[in-house]
């Protein structure tokens, strides 16, 4: 017996057009408030940006069968997606107007399996260090009791957006 999942997303050009018009924190707060649509990857994976403040971002996901790998637990790519999003958005939350970022690397350490029984998980990202050209961030993937499931570090390149 097959299973299916249907989802919808908004045009990603809407949010892309808003990048750099205000600060990174303002942009992310607009996503949380629904004034700017979230990225399609959020709908695809079914995770959300729940909290953002300067230097910190929190995403959450309730694991489902659609996230499973062939051995019956959540696929490592889902861990990495959550951790990359949390670390990257923590960096984005510190950016001034007219500045953007892109991830240069992501190093993930998987510590515990996630299954349906794990319940909601949270990826908490924070900026460790930020300079003129790069920023270092880390993210932790936690269960409902704050048990560490995975950890990641990410280096992000910072760059000015072209004037429009």
């Amino acid at each position: 017996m097959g299973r299916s999942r249907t989802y919808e997303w908004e045009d990603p050009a809407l949010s892309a057009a808003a990048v750099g018009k205000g600060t990174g924190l303002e942009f992310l707060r607009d996503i949380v408030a629904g004034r700017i649509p979230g990225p399609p990857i959020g709908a695809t994976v079914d995770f959300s940006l729940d909290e953002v403040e300067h230097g910190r971002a929190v995403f959450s996901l309730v694991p489902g069968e659609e996230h499973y790998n062939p051995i019956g637990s959540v696929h490592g790519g889902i861990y990495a997606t959550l951790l990359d999003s949390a670390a990257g958005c923590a960096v984005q939350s510190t950016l001034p107007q007219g500045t953007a970022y892109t991830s240069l690397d992501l190093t993930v350490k998987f510590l515990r399996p996630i299954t349906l029984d794990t319940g909601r998980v949270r990826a908490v990202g924070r900026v460790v260090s930020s300079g003129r050209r790069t920023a270092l961030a880390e993210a932790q993937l936690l269960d409902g009791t704050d048990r560490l499931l995975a950890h990641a570090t990410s280096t992000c390149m910072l760059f000015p957006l072209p004037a429009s």
Side-chain angles (χ1 to χ4, degrees), residues 118-134:
T118 305
R120 180 175 297 279
V121 297
R122 293 176 300 115
V124 180
R126 74 175 187 89
V127 174
V128 175
S129 175
S130 187
R132 287 187 358 210
R133 295 188 187 132
T134 61

Side-chain angles (χ1 to χ4, degrees), residues 19 28-29 42 58-59 64 85 98 123 164:
V19 173
L28 293 169
R29 284 183 174 162
V58 180
F59 286 80
S85 297
S164 52

